[in-house]
Amino acid sequence: MDINFNKNEDYNKLLVSSMKQKLAKIKLGGGEKRIEKHHAKGKMTARERIDFLLDDKERSIEIGAFAGDGMYEEHGGCPSGGVVVKIGYVSGKQCIVVANDATVKAGAWFPITGKKNLRAQEIAIENRLPIIYLVDSAGVYLPMQDEIFPDKEHFGRIFRNNAVMSSMGITQVAAVMGSCVAGGAYLPIMSDEAIIVEKTGSIFLAGSYLVKAAIGESIDNETLGGATTHSEISGVTDYKAKDDKDALTRIQNIMDKIGDYDKAGYNHTKPAKPKEKPEEIYGILPKKRSDQYDMHEIIYRLVDNSEFEEYKEGYGQTIITGYARIDGWAVGIVANQRKIVRTKKGEMQFGGVIYSDSADKATRFIANCNQKKIPLVFLQDVTGFMVGSKSEHGGIIKDGAKMVNAVSNSVVPKFTIIIGNSYGAGNYAMCGKAYDPRLIAAWPSAELAVMGGTQAAKVLAQIETASMAKKGEKVDEEKEKEVFEKLKAKYDAQTSAYYAAARIWTDAIIDPLDTRKWISMGIEAANHAPIEKDFNMGVIQT
């Protein structure tokens, strides 16, 4: 190994270590004191509930752990968006679990909470995956109600999705393990089966104080909407549990009786580990995002037996396409090549840039995978499409549009891993969030933006200094540098993997060594949902 490998390895391991430290803090939710108060009520935390419920907590992936990171600081923050979401196994059945974290503002819904809950339901709908709700929430966070209540993708969409999933035959089970008030009361009752925990669980459209204010009736919350009331009088809930563990055990028993599902039929054989050492990814991936490396070396460390059958190897070389297996699942891989290559004509092509021939190759390969019913995996490290007169005259826009069209109309499940750069239209063509990947995750090295920080800051600085000069302000070299550095710092912060994950532009920031697990569990989830339409690219320019 050379010195650069060692430098890269140290740098990337530090990125992963930093990510895990940050995640450990986030997992404390509202903090240790609030966790102690929660335990004093005889309640488990959201994460403890999920760990108890799952067959194996290690055999799971978490969606949106960094949601809300750095947001709502003026309101005290909202770690993980105040809700924990995991895909795992309950009584041998793969499912998605959504648990309100009552240590964060009593489980109140911030705008990002709504977005994260909707993402969980979207995963359940796309994959026909059973969904379990562990409810413990004070409802909408009132100081921000205008950003969570009335719009199409706001709070009400949750209950609309409950109804749609029910009509689709997707199993929904809810356990009311704490407060469940106002509009939120509909969620468990629109599920297939609802459990409520004695003494701690309650459901009502309005609590005792509001009832008193509205109609003058004096009544305590337990009598108004506690476990006995809803299990023996109203019939709103189906089961009464004595405590959290009893409720979770009942869910396990319910899941244990669910029948098998119709499978999509994606090709799966006995899994095999890569022959090349996956941990060497840390040394291969360069410290500087502008440096070159060979994406083949990353692929060999992600796929079974390090076997990769490359498609059109000598053509359109700034995108790599080919077939492989990941944890036994057959996949088609579309990856950006990050080293400088030369065509047969001797022309140099820059790594990470999509050229016309690369887009043409990728389009054909994506169509082939749809024809063969092979899930697609996109490995992103892309700076965008090639610019300049030669590319424009050669029809780069037309070829790029074909690739975007193929990605958009794919009917096989797509999975996106952002390894490095994810800039501009390259993000779109390589199946960014807007193109419906079943799961999209980023490595800590990822950057998402319209363009790189340096380029963007230069453009913005030129505009700002020109505006200052027009106003008669003095603009010298020192001032230009000051403006540039300020803009670059701001832009760099917005391009970080954490900024994207906080807003759920990605589902997670993951250790590169967890990539195989994410893709494998994602394809297993997708196998619950048979393909219901044919691949059709519609009208395209030829």
Side-chain angles (χ1 to χ4, degrees):
M1 301 298 176
D2 61 21
I3 188 67
N4 283 333
F5 183 98
N6 293 333
K7 287 180 178 179
N8 292 339
E9 184 178 44
D10 290 344
Y11 178 76
N12 286 308
K13 283 185 174 180
L14 280 172
L15 285 183
V16 171
S17 176
S18 176
M19 180 267 289
K20 290 181 177 179
Q21 288 175 18
K22 197 165 188 173
L23 189 57
K25 186 176 180 182
I26 284 171
K27 286 181 177 180
L28 291 174
E32 292 179 351
K33 288 185 178 180
R34 288 182 183 172
I35 290 173
E36 288 173 10
K37 288 181 179 179
H38 199 74
H39 286 160
K41 297 175 184 176
K43 297 165 71 174
M44 303 165 76
T45 66
R47 293 183 180 278
E48 288 168 346
R49 287 166 176 167
I50 292 177
D51 287 349
F52 183 91
L53 182 65
L54 296 180
D55 297 345
D56 179 359
K57 67 179 182 180
E58 299 302 323
R59 196 171 167 230
S60 66
I61 56 176
E62 182 168 355
I63 306 295
F66 288 97
D69 181 52
M71 300 167 66
Y72 314 120
E73 297 297 339
E74 67 277 22
H75 296 279
C78 187
S80 269
V83 62
V84 182
V85 177
K86 288 192 178 185
I87 298 175
Y89 301 85
V90 177
S91 299
K93 307 292 192 306
Q94 192 182 37
C95 56
I96 187 162
V97 185
V98 181
N100 300 113
D101 186 349
T103 70
V104 180
K105 297 289 183 186
W109 286 53
F110 283 70
I112 198 67
T113 316
K115 187 173 183 179
K116 185 170 173 179
N117 274 270
L118 287 171
R119 176 59 180 146
Q121 289 186 322
E122 180 182 42
I123 291 170
I125 290 169
E126 285 181 331
N127 299 290
R128 308 291 195 275
L129 208 58
I131 186 167
I132 297 167
Y133 307 100
L134 306 181
V135 186
D136 194 347
S137 171
V140 167
Y141 183 60
L142 291 178
M144 302 187 77
Q145 64 85 26
D146 62 320
E147 296 181 47
I148 182 63
F149 169 65
D151 209 347
K152 181 178 178 180
E153 299 297 329
H154 281 178
F155 195 68
R157 190 77 173 180
I158 302 291
F159 317 126
R160 175 265 185 195
N161 287 349
N162 286 144
V164 168
M165 283 191 282
S166 183
S167 72
M168 294 172 68
I170 298 171
T171 298
Q172 300 176 82
V173 180
V176 179
M177 311 180 83
S179 182
C180 183
V181 300
Y186 289 106
L187 186 147
I189 311 313
M190 293 186 75
S191 299
D192 302 334
E193 298 186 76
I195 301 158
I196 188 168
V197 179
E198 282 189 285
K199 298 179 182 178
T200 57
S202 60
I203 310 171
F204 33 65
L205 295 181
S208 56
Y209 291 120
L210 186 53
V211 168
K212 177 70 174 176
I215 63 173
E217 181 184 2
S218 296
I219 188 169
D220 64 272
N221 281 337
E222 184 64 25
T223 305
L224 179 66
T228 299
T229 295
H230 286 310
S231 297
E232 300 177 15
I233 300 173
S234 73
V236 164
T237 54
D238 305 305
Y239 309 93
K240 181 168 69 171
K242 62 182 180 181
D243 56 25
D244 282 5
K245 289 185 177 180
D246 184 31
L248 296 168
T249 300
R250 286 172 182 267
I251 294 174
Q252 292 169 338
N253 292 337
I254 291 169
M255 295 297 294
D256 181 57
K257 310 300 187 298
I258 294 175
D260 203 359
Y261 56 90
D262 294 332
K263 296 174 177 63
Y266 301 119
N267 189 295
H268 188 252
T269 59
K270 185 179 179 181
K273 293 180 179 180
K275 287 183 178 176
E276 301 291 343
K277 296 178 180 177
E279 58 270 21
E280 290 178 353
I281 287 172
Y282 298 132
I284 294 166
L285 191 66
K287 178 178 177 179
K288 290 177 65 177
R289 292 275 23 92
S290 56
D291 285 354
Q292 305 286 307
Y293 65 97
D294 188 352
M295 182 63 83
H296 289 95
E297 297 302 326
I298 299 291
I299 294 172
Y300 297 148
R301 287 157 179 81
L302 294 177
V303 301
D304 291 11
N305 289 319
S306 299
E307 293 174 350
F308 180 62
E309 187 177 351
E310 191 160 358
Y311 173 84
K312 290 186 182 287
E313 181 179 355
Y315 178 71
Q317 295 177 71
T318 63
I319 284 184
I320 299 168
T321 53
Y323 304 103
R325 290 189 181 276
I326 293 179
D327 202 34
W329 294 102
V331 296
I333 294 175
V334 181
N336 301 112
Q337 175 58 292
R338 277 309 310 266
K339 71 174 186 177
I340 294 173
V341 298
R342 290 190 180 274
T343 67
K344 284 190 175 181
K345 295 178 182 178
E347 297 171 332
M348 184 173 69
Q349 292 187 344
F350 296 97
V353 180
I354 301 175
Y355 290 78
S356 283
D357 55 356
S358 303
D360 176 64
K361 176 174 81 170
T363 300
R364 177 62 183 245
F365 180 73
I366 290 166
N368 280 346
C369 287
N370 276 272
Q371 184 83 352
K372 298 174 183 177
K373 206 161 75 170
I374 299 174
L376 285 158
V377 174
F378 293 83
L379 303 178
Q380 282 196 16
D381 194 346
V382 58
T383 52
F385 284 87
M386 190 59 189
V387 297
S389 60
K390 186 175 181 180
S391 292
E392 298 293 0
H393 296 170
I396 185 69
I397 295 174
K398 182 173 64 176
D399 292 318
K402 290 178 190 176
M403 184 176 173
V404 169
N405 194 310
V407 172
S408 302
N409 287 300
S410 283
V411 295
V412 294
K414 298 166 292 192
F415 302 89
T416 302
I417 306 295
I418 304 174
I419 289 175
N421 302 326
S422 181
Y423 295 159
N427 170 281
Y428 300 161
M430 290 295 293
C431 198
K433 183 66 181 287
Y435 293 82
D436 300 318
R438 296 293 177 95
L439 293 174
I440 177 169
W443 291 358
S445 48
E447 294 183 358
L448 290 80
V450 171
M451 63 179 74
T454 300
Q455 298 93 321
K458 282 180 180 177
V459 172
L460 293 170
Q462 287 172 6
I463 295 170
E464 187 167 328
T465 53
S467 175
M468 292 167 66
K470 278 185 180 180
K471 294 175 184 177
E473 297 179 35
K474 182 182 177 183
V475 181
D476 54 20
E477 188 176 327
E478 187 176 332
K479 186 64 177 178
E480 288 179 348
K481 184 179 179 182
E482 179 189 329
V483 171
F484 169 77
E485 293 295 343
K486 181 180 177 182
L487 289 168
K488 187 176 184 301
K490 180 181 178 182
Y491 202 88
D492 283 346
Q494 292 179 354
T495 66
S496 89
Y498 294 100
Y499 192 90
R503 289 151 184 80
I504 318 183
W505 300 344
T506 61
D507 291 318
I509 303 172
I510 64 172
D511 184 335
L513 302 187
D514 288 332
T515 303
R516 281 170 53 85
K517 180 168 77 169
W518 268 74
I519 294 170
S520 174
M521 288 188 65
I523 298 175
E524 183 182 347
N527 207 34
H528 286 72
I531 296 172
E532 296 176 347
K533 64 177 183 178
D534 295 330
F535 176 64
N536 186 343
M537 285 181 62
V539 177
I540 58 171
Q541 290 277 1
T542 57

